[in-house]
Amino acid sequence: MIFVLLAVLFATTFSIAQGTDQPPYNPCAASHTLAAHCLDGSRTCNYYSQFACSEGYCWALGVPGNNAGIPPNGLVQNKTIEIGGVYTITQGVTFKNCLFKMRGDARINISPNDINHSLIKINFDNCDFFGCGEMWQGIVVDGTNAQNGLFFNFFNSSIEDAYIGLTLNENEVVFQPQHYFYNISRNTFRNNHIGISNLRQNGNFLNAVLVRNQFFQTANLATQVGSLAGLVLPDYPLAYAGIKYVNLNTVIGVDQHGQQNDFSCLVNGIVLDRSRVVSTNNFFHHISANGIWSTGVAAQLKSTRCRFYLTGGFGIRVEGSTLDAQLNSFAGDWEEGIHAIGGNNNEHFWITNGNTFDMSRDGWHIGIYVERPQGGLPSFIDGNTFTVKPSSNATDHVNGIRVMDFVDAATEMTISNNVMTFNGSTLVTFPMLNEGIVIGLGNSDNINVHDNHLSFGTINNSGEGIDLYSPNGQNFSTGHIVRHNDVTGISTTPDLFTNPLDACFRGFRVQGVEFCDNTADQSIEAFRFLGPCDIALRNNHINNHFVGLEIGGVGGRIGKQEGRGNEWALNSNACVQFAAIVFNSNPFQSEFVVPEGNILPWLPLNAKLDPDPSIINWFHFGNVPLVYCVPMATPLPRKLTPYEKEAVLGTSTFTGISLWDLKREVYAKLLIFPSLRPSGSPEATFFNSLSNTAMASLGNVLQQARNALTLTTAYQQTYNTYDAAVELAFANLKGYDANMDYSSPDNLTETWFAQRDYLLQQLIVNAVNETALLDTRIQQLTTGLQSALNYNTAISTAQAYESARKTIYELRISHLLGQPITQSLYQQALSLAQQGEAIVGKAASEAVSFLAPCDQKLFQLKGEGQVQSLTRGNQSSSYTTQLQIAPNPTTGLTEITLSESDGGWLVVYNISGQKVKTLSIAPETSSVTLDLEQNPNGLYWLVFSDTAGKVIGTAKISVSH
């Protein structure tokens, strides 16, 4: 039995240390460190001779017999016990006020043998365990032979220097009659690799109550000796986790004041692998990596009333797990509050009901980061509060909520009723804008962003309110609604250029989005749309801006408008300089209505477009109500956008790689939605003309991946039934726990535990059924995605941009499969990002989203058109022409002639928005020479700004070697 247990323990350790066979490559990876005050070097014991062992309990050498030192009455009291091997307990016993000196590699093995067919009770009351600088194995509970159950009570005790302090056993078989009860309360787990873990990993339940325990580290972990010497422990000599559970169902903590478990000075607080766990009223501070970290298919984490404060990495981190987070608080100096990714197997995220984020310290990057889940149940980020003081580091930025889409989901995701207040005093320089809600749209449908309230309240803090952009291709999706949100800033100057809010609403390369009944107030720009967009604007209220609507960037347009009733409040106090501005190579590509004779200012003045004269009130000045936006308006139909139609008809103004990218997207859209290419139509002709090409093969990859992700209705209904039953069982268990008095361990009787055990059985029967259903789903998903990946690998390409697209699909499908990105594949992604869109097309910007955060900072995801060419105050509304470039196009050297200036900064951006060069311009400088010989062919933006950061001139440079 001893050797079997060791084998199980070591196997568990290997999974902890190694994770996957091939860990993902991460150039940002750094050794974890604890807060300075944590590792003060203190230990309970410095040498074994401090404490003399009691007579009859000195077992430093050899292995004591089973139950050695236990008298007939089963009470061992006020003893100092020294153990050098394995001490096995097979009977009921109470250790009270005992001190355990555990020699290196020693272990206490609790393996009850139920000879008399009675519940076996084992108690440790006010006992201390330590290793004096040498790591020991810990206390292992193996209740396999306890035929009528085991009651394990560990109360007011401490464990130090252990590999795993307590290793607990859960039920072997779902409906086996024996019961296991664990009361673990008011204990200290100090300087252990892991405080508490589980023995068997079969998905069953652990009937354990954990309250008022402390998990922390004050000194480096003890020296590994004996059989522990060869184990690879992650983060050694730091404490890896307070609790680590693998493949079980349980609850950690209870919802009662003063009963919290405390996790501090650890790499991770709670680590959960393929488990269903409710975490309630647990406190986390001075955590190096993760407060709660849940991974694995079919895993579920419910976190309620947990507190994350002082310092830490990620508060709650889930990977491939369902998350339900309510009433948690995040404060202090953390990097992210909630980080939820990998929802490809029917997971959902509910981050609702009063989570609070006090993001007033410099360490914060994101309050909530979520990858769009693929599951059939809707996901919600609702009713959360954010108080943000942006970083004092002017090269960094903060997001309240960020959502990224890698899947093709049809179910609704809602972001609603969140309140954000941004207050900061440091100017954050372009492109590091602080943003409230950021959504990276892929090809999923039905994102509903409504009733959010965002306020940017301090001058000289560049920010954007609600930002939708497309980093990974987004031409299949529809049904997105941004409705009834209000975004406001403040201003003390007439031209608003020092306003903290750069734009209230922003879109970059987005389709299928309706902006309805939103209020935008006090910003430089109310709505900004860059690149080819296809959106609708209905009944929005636009007040107090330098520019009401900007349409710009390469190929900038917003599509033919079906909306109307947008209201400009133009008066002496409104500070609106331009109601709308269009800037790109061909402003007439932007289809919107400007009624003739309108008194509002426009830029350029000759771009009064009227593609549909029947729509006469798209721009509306005044306060007469025009209600064109109704709740849950019918989403825009799935169709080809105007610029996609141009690709079909051969009239697109795009050329080169940009045109190839557009045609590829159109082909894939026509492939996946055959109704868009009726027989004999130009769309059908266009589609058929590209058969048997690399473009067609790449479209097939998308179709195969999309088909693999699709959920059948029957599967979804069955899954939802099981999931609802699990939710109900957890709720019943929570209510049962809430009525217990935990002030004394005597209150937690076996009768109470037996009733709790019954509730857990109701949970597990549905969880087992749900897991079995999900296993089948995962096999189908894996087979389908792997087939798409194999098909992608076999595609023959001739052009660099075709090979780049293959790499993007390999990255995306590998991500969906949960496969790690190898160093070789990562370097390919980094290379694509560095080459830029002029060489490899959209693959360059799409690759950025697969990079690690430290490398993402080198690139501007939202890229093109971010620069501005506006002038201040009531000056001319035409473009500023302060920059003259010769020669242009250039093969390398080019001279920039400047008008008189007081100096400033000259910055060159590539077409993706990546900063290429930055030059400091001294006052009265009249000309500057740039060397662009080493830069690839393509279009570049030149931006000249004064010392205060105000843009005073822009120009384009074409590089052609």
Side-chain angles (χ1 to χ4, degrees), residues 70-71 73-77 91-96 98 121-125 127:
I70 299 177
N73 65 358
L75 176 62
V76 181
Q77 188 171 9
Q91 68 176 65
V93 64
T94 294
F95 291 92
K96 187 176 181 63
C98 292
K121 300 180 180 180
I122 295 177
N123 302 291
F124 292 89
D125 183 359
C127 295

Side-chain angles (χ1 to χ4, degrees), residues 382-519:
D382 178 86
N384 305 289
T385 302
F386 302 77
T387 302
V388 186
K389 180 182 178 182
S391 171
S392 62
N393 181 356
T395 62
D396 214 337
H397 66 287
V398 182
N399 296 155
I401 298 172
R402 176 178 284 270
V403 178
M404 282 288 295
D405 183 13
F406 291 97
V407 298
D408 292 350
T411 51
E412 187 175 25
M413 180 175 186
T414 299
I415 303 171
S416 58
N417 298 296
N418 300 287
V419 177
M420 296 185 185
T421 303
F422 281 73
N423 286 301
S425 58
T426 301
L427 177 65
V428 181
T429 58
F430 169 81
M432 294 301 181
L433 297 177
N434 298 300
E435 295 163 302
I437 300 174
V438 186
I439 304 176
L441 292 173
N443 284 317
S444 295
D445 298 335
N446 303 326
I447 289 183
N448 186 2
V449 183
H450 71 83
D451 291 285
N452 299 285
H453 308 278
L454 284 68
S455 173
F456 290 71
T458 306
I459 293 177
N460 289 339
N461 169 40
S462 299
E464 290 178 338
I466 297 178
D467 178 15
L468 280 64
Y469 72 106
S470 174
N472 300 308
Q474 191 256 341
N475 70 321
F476 302 159
S477 70
T478 188
H480 307 304
I481 298 177
V482 181
R483 181 181 180 275
H484 204 242
N485 305 280
D486 59 80
V487 183
T488 62
I490 63 171
S491 177
T492 57
T493 58
D495 64 9
L496 300 172
F497 256 103
T498 56
N499 197 286
L501 192 53
D502 192 60
C504 290
F505 298 86
R506 181 186 185 279
F508 173 58
R509 292 178 179 171
V510 294
Q511 298 185 14
V513 185
E514 299 189 46
F515 293 83
C516 300
D517 199 19
N518 300 286
T519 298

Side-chain angles (χ1 to χ4, degrees), residues 36 214 338 536 550 578 601 672 685 712 764 840 864 874-875 931:
Q214 292 183 307
I338 296 177
E550 175 191 322
F578 304 118
I672 292 171
T685 302
T712 65
I764 196 63
V840 296
E864 66 184 52
N874 295 316
Q875 298 175 12
D931 185 0

Side-chain angles (χ1 to χ4, degrees), residues 21-33:
D21 292 336
Q22 187 180 34
Y25 175 71
N26 182 7
C28 306
S31 298
H32 290 115
T33 58

